[in-house]
Amino acid sequence: MKTMEEVLKDWEAVIGLEVHCELTKLETKMFCGCKLEFGAEPNTHTCPVCLGLPGALPVPNRAAIQSIVLAGLATNCDIEKHTMFYRKGYMYPDMAKNFQTTQGPKAFCMRGHLDLAVDGRGAQERLFWKDLATGEQSENMTRTDDGYIAHVGITRIHMEEDAGKMIHIGGDDGRIAGATHSLVDYNRAGTPLIELVTEPDLRTPEEARLFMQKLRQIFLTLGISDCSMEEGSLRADGNISLRRRGSKEFGTKTELKNINSFKSLHDGLAYEICRQAEVLEEGGQIYQETRHWDPSKKHTIVMRVKETADDYRMFPDPDLAPYDLSDEFIDRVRDMLPELPDQRAARYERDFGLSAYDARHLVEHRYIIDFFEAACEAAGAAAKDLAKPLANLALNDISAYVNAGEGIDFSQSALTPARGVELVSLVAEDAISSKQAKEVFAAVLEEDKDPQVIVEERGMKQVSDTGAIEAVIDEVLAANPDKVEQYKGGKTGLIGFFVGQCMKAMKGQGNPKLINELLA
Ligand code: ADP
Ligand code: MG
Ligand code: ZN
């Protein structure tokens, strides 16, 4: 198979996502009073309604409707005031009612959009953005200094309910194939679920991944779900097709079902791009089918060919009255909206003079936000000057530290926000070099001491005494007469060599800025 890079020269990928999010923060299920609890003893949270017993009548959960309206407002959707619940018929043991209650053509939230900032290596997956000038727009992308913004349409967000959970016994890896029997746990049946559907506006696996991450940040900020991809409270289906570059028509799509990590979403779509290209280039045909991405085998396999909408026999649920949202209700929900990630990033740019790049990466993770905000608060009047080094500390050292370990809760670490401020202040005052700061960072985490104490204990004070530095420079120059000649002959790149030799002679404690200046 060709690599994705090769394929994308001739083909353009068209991607649309369907994202399911369980409203785990609610107390009760969508249409009954059963408690929502992950990991409870099987079948302990059930009742006649969520078991679909004859005569049981559903009542919509008002708090769930509030959550979906929050989600819609936060993703720039129009809120539909008059909508209905529908029955989507299917027979499978995980849904005792034999239908799922969902929404019809009109959902609570319609016609939204999100902007995705794509930069760095991820931006390389989309071709041609470099041909645009900064600020210029082409199709649904706008060029920025270091990448581009993708404008992604959201078709709708509708309210539905989750099914129960099947457990297959006796087969391989808990799959149904080869199982001797299956168990069903209805605790999850009837869990309030929102499904967001995007327009086919995404063009690369990286954009799909970023969209999911951004949506997760928004939902976490709204507090409507714990958005755990491992536990399945946030999952995505990736729809993907290819078309020849320059063609306006969409190709036939396949759908990757129930993707449960950001990496799988990216890698599964990337694989599908390569697979579809191979089929099409060999003159074959793509079938509209559902496929499963296997992260360990690194390929997709077909699950089933596409059912059509008719198969579900959707019709308005006669047990649920049409739903009317009042303007007052919508306004009250609007007033509940917290500061969203994009707004927070804009505030960081405005108040701390950070670059757009730093600001948008700072708001990607809760632990980074918490650290950065507490550190700026602790820095007081110095916050404006220290914001940039604090941002670097958070985005480079802290995130590397957290990503290197598993399940690290940074808020419990020895590097408190106040110590973070102390560390960047030591560098700002030229007391230690930024290289030494890395050592102090590691030592604070290891030894649970203040940065100042570590600097003193290890005698790490940076030498900024010009006399002492000049003496070392003289020695270094005297020891390398040939290199000095070459430098004078125009090999000015050798300055790095001399700085390195001086640093070595000073055991890493020389002030590199001063050494550079004095050497030159
Ligand atoms: P279906 O009827 O198969 O569920 P929908 O029209 O409801 O298809 O779209 C489902 C998802 O697939 C949406 O996110 C949409 O943007 C995306 N999609 C639709 N057509 C294509 C296509 N040709 N290629 C890629 N994605 C597509
Ligand atoms: Mg669909
Ligand atoms: Zn129930």
Side-chain angles (χ1 to χ4, degrees), residues 66-76 109 157 194 219 222 224:
Q66 182 175 301
S67 297
I68 194 173
V69 172
L70 271 174
L73 293 172
T75 51
N76 311 296
C109 314
I157 314 177
I194 59 176
F219 288 173
L222 295 176
I224 59 176

Side-chain angles (χ1 to χ4, degrees), residues 1-2 11 244 274-286:
M1 264 190 329
K2 288 186 183 171
W11 299 91
R244 284 275 177 197
C274 300
R275 187 193 68 84
Q276 289 188 11
E278 188 171 80
V279 172
L280 292 169
E281 285 177 3
E282 284 173 356
Q285 191 186 341
I286 300 298

Side-chain angles (χ1 to χ4, degrees), residues 404-420:
E406 220 161 274
I408 292 179
D409 178 0
F410 192 75
S411 68
Q412 300 301 310
S413 83
L415 193 93
T416 59
R419 282 175 168 171

Side-chain angles (χ1 to χ4, degrees), residues 29 31-34 45-51 189:
K29 293 188 180 179
F31 297 109
C32 63
C34 286
H45 299 313
T46 61
C47 75
V49 174
C50 55
L51 290 177

Side-chain angles (χ1 to χ4, degrees), residues 191 199 291 309 323 350 369 372 417 481:
T191 295
E199 291 290 305
R291 300 181 70 91
Y323 216 87
R350 200 174 57 235
I369 294 171
F372 181 74

